[in-house]
Amino acid sequence: MPEPVISVANVSKTYGKDLAVDALSFAVMPRACFGMLGPNGAGKTTMMKMIYGKSIRDRNPESVISVFGYDPQVDELSIKNIAGVVPQEDNLDEELNVIQNLRIYATLYNLRTEIAAARIEGLLEFMELGRKKKTKIKELSGGMKRRLIIARALLNNPRLLILDEPTTGLDPQVRHVIWEKLRGLKRKGMTILLTTHYMEEATQMCDRVLIMDKARRIMEGPPARLVADQIEAYVLELLSPKAHDAVRGLRMPDTVRVDDSTDSMRLYARDIDALEDIRRHLTPGEYSLRQSDLEDVFLNATGRKLHVKQ
Amino acid sequence: MSNNSGAGYPSLCHRLYAVWYRHYRVYTKNLLSNGLPPFLEPLIFLAGIGLGMGKYVSEMNGMPYLEYLASGLPLSAAMFTAAFECSFGTFIRLEFDRVYDGMLAAPITVGNLLAGEILWAGTKGLFFSTAVILVVSCFGLLPMPVSLLASAIGFVTGCMFAALSLLVTSFVKTINHFNFYFTGFISPMFFFSGIVFPLENLPAAMRYAAEIFPLTHSIRLMRAIVYGQWHPVLLADAAFVLVFTLVIGFFAIRRLRKRLIV
């Protein structure tokens, strides 16, 4: 069994009276993509910041964070030297253009001039920004800024890439391009830790996900296994009040679970036949019958209503 | 080629240089608009004083008034540029552009980042004071080439006001609060540090207050270099400047660290 790249044990973080992370433990294995999922305010970003030393965990003798064997509170420089970080907010240097932004970071990483030039060239090509070298940051689209930030995080050839909501707010094309790039990096042996609230992103990218809510761990495992273990295989979503009424009049078999905690109603079953029977009483366009996915697991686990921090 | 271990991170010197280099690149990007004013400002000042006020006040402390002023102006330029850089400049990088958040993901610590800021502000102090020295010596107001040595005091003054401004920044929640700092502290310093008139004849209370002003001490050091008047009190001035920069810088970094590492 290889050593994990990141081990987190019993880590908590409080801001004043607010508990942002509550006794979290997990491990990220080499060459894996590990995803932290959760609604806004669940504590994902805080956990991530503690990993690269931007935030300090609560003092507790049993609390451990180890990244490549280094504790971020003792050896932040060693971790930063072999990890790349893509933060949630765009924090490019707006006073500099695209290539100057990368050059400044090449200097921060102390890359030799020739190596820096070659690597910058390569990364701009890889991120499809080759023609934007001299462009001002303000003139870049949201997708280009994100790609540039990822390129910046790759300058030191990191062994670990940490991404905080890498595709939030981007259009589907850009999102797919970024996923493709990240999968390419993973194939080359990079370990990836990301946070997201896009279930599709987690399903597409992650070997393993940790679902968090209100500072706590809810569940953890490979996405496909979570879907198989944690929820019925099929779901029938009723989209109109008329459909709700039609279904309420029916005798529901024991194998169907009804969730009507919000305005829309969902029926779950392991076996598609039971749902097919119900569907026959509905008009097309009023329902959707599909396989359940990670989003159903997630919403089932974290609830459908918003809470204070969201 | 991949890094195999974290231990090979850049040396302290390189980390400070990298931060300094970032500021240098941003500053030299607009060379004309950033580089010209330091040379124009003393011209305007000398024109105003020389053609206007100089007609009424011809002597100060036994020397021509313009010469008296010229031996202090280089340092007020260093003070203003460093104070702006590490108040408004730092605040914008900290809160609006989030430049620091990005840089802190690279192998540097908060201490490196802020020490690099102070060194950069010192460099600007050096550049600004040199510009003023060159301009005023064209009019024969400062002895050359010895006055060029006083640029070093420009560097020290820049570092000193950078440290102080960082400490002020650590308390500031909205950018408008800096108005208090500039109106209440930096501007009075210009008048009560011995640049415009000697402090010796001020009321006793104000004389003591002026001794607390950091600029007073660097002005004395500069005049000693320019006119070659050495005196044991200068050691106290040098010690004040050094200790002030280190102590204030230490607390500024400590307070800003709490803001950057949450």
Side-chain angles (χ1 to χ4, degrees), chain B residues 75-110:
Chain B
L75 296 189
S76 75
M79 167 180 81
F80 277 110
T81 188
F84 274 107
E85 183 72 37
C86 290
S87 56
F88 290 105
T90 297
F91 191 82
I92 288 168
R93 292 190 280 273
L94 180 74
E95 294 288 338
F96 298 155
D97 292 353
R98 301 249 155 223
V99 173
Y100 293 153
D101 283 349
M103 289 170 79
L104 284 173
I108 56 167
T109 65
V110 173

Side-chain angles (χ1 to χ4, degrees), chain A residues 61-73:
Chain A
E62 273 140 53
S63 159
V64 178
I65 299 181
S66 166
V67 185
F68 296 109
Y70 300 109
D71 179 338
Q73 249 138 274

Side-chain angles (χ1 to χ4, degrees), chain A residues 94-152:
Chain A
E94 302 224 351
E95 300 194 65
L96 299 168
N97 66 23
V98 167
I99 196 158
Q100 288 168 336
N101 257 279
L102 295 178
R103 281 190 191 137
I104 295 297
Y105 277 73
T107 310
L108 283 165
Y109 287 114
N110 198 12
L111 300 182
R112 289 219 324 268
T113 318
E114 322 82 75
I115 294 181
R119 219 174 267 176
I120 287 171
E121 197 70 29
L123 284 169
L124 285 175
E125 283 310 315
F126 177 61
M127 281 296 163
E128 296 170 37
L129 290 167
R131 284 152 72 180
K132 298 280 172 192
K133 274 178 208 160
K134 298 273 165 75
T135 307
K136 288 184 186 144
I137 299 304
K138 281 204 176 84
E139 288 161 12
L140 296 179
S141 70
M144 291 176 197
K145 282 186 192 167
R146 225 63 294 252
R147 268 141 57 206
L148 180 56
I149 292 178
I150 297 176
R152 190 180 75 182

Side-chain angles (χ1 to χ4, degrees), chain A residues 13 15 52-56 70 76-78 80-83 85 89-97 100 103-105 107-110 115 119 152 156-157 159, chain B residues 1-11 14-15 17-19 21-22 25-26 29 93 97-99 101-110 112 260-262:
Chain A
K13 174 74 187 176
Y15 292 112
Y52 69 93
K54 187 74 175 61
S55 182
I56 295 179
Y70 300 109
E76 60 168 314
L77 292 173
S78 301
K80 289 167 170 184
N81 200 35
I82 43 175
V85 179
E89 290 174 57
D90 290 340
N91 56 17
L92 291 160
D93 208 324
E94 302 224 351
E95 300 194 65
L96 299 168
N97 66 23
Q100 288 168 336
R103 281 190 191 137
I104 295 297
Y105 277 73
T107 310
L108 283 165
Y109 287 114
N110 198 12
I115 294 181
R119 219 174 267 176
R152 190 180 75 182
N156 59 331
N157 252 339
R159 291 162 66 195
Chain B
M1 193 192 79
S2 184
N3 304 312
N4 284 319
S5 82
Y9 56 76
S11 67
H14 184 86
R15 299 199 302 272
Y17 164 72
V19 175
Y21 178 71
R22 183 266 164 198
R25 281 315 298 260
V26 170
K29 216 181 155 213
R93 292 190 280 273
D97 292 353
R98 301 249 155 223
V99 173
D101 283 349
M103 289 170 79
L104 284 173
I108 56 167
T109 65
V110 173
N112 303 155
L260 281 159
I261 308 283
V262 285

Side-chain angles (χ1 to χ4, degrees), chain A residues 139-211:
Chain A
E139 288 161 12
L140 296 179
S141 70
M144 291 176 197
K145 282 186 192 167
R146 225 63 294 252
R147 268 141 57 206
L148 180 56
I149 292 178
I150 297 176
R152 190 180 75 182
L154 293 172
L155 269 173
N156 59 331
N157 252 339
R159 291 162 66 195
L160 166 68
L161 187 60
I162 297 173
L163 306 109
D164 196 359
E165 296 187 8
T167 64
T168 297
L170 302 181
D171 64 44
Q173 281 85 355
V174 176
R175 192 180 301 165
H176 279 275
V177 167
I178 290 183
W179 289 342
E180 191 192 304
K181 304 293 178 194
L182 293 179
R183 274 193 293 260
L185 292 169
K186 207 187 115 195
R187 271 195 301 275
K188 287 186 196 151
M190 196 173 291
T191 307
I192 297 176
L193 171 66
L194 63 84
T195 70
T196 182
H197 40 227
Y198 292 124
M199 299 308 128
E200 194 195 350
E201 185 158 280
T203 316
Q204 289 238 6
M205 292 289 310
C206 299
D207 305 298
R208 202 171 173 82
V209 295
L210 166 68
I211 299 185

Side-chain angles (χ1 to χ4, degrees), chain B residues 71-83 125 129 153-161 164 181 185-196 199 209-223 237-238 240-241 244-245:
Chain B
S71 57
L73 280 185
L75 296 189
S76 75
M79 167 180 81
F80 277 110
T81 188
S129 55
I153 307 298
F155 177 79
V156 172
T157 305
C159 292
M160 186 163 65
F161 281 93
L164 178 65
Y181 173 53
F185 196 73
I186 296 293
S187 296
M189 186 122 32
F190 177 72
F191 287 103
F192 296 100
S193 59
I195 296 181
V196 199
L199 302 172
E211 289 299 318
I212 300 170
F213 281 171
L215 193 59
T216 305
H217 303 278
S218 29
I219 293 286
R220 237 179 248 150
L221 291 170
M222 165 140 188
R223 292 224 165 102
D237 290 317
F240 181 99
V241 168
F244 183 92
T245 308

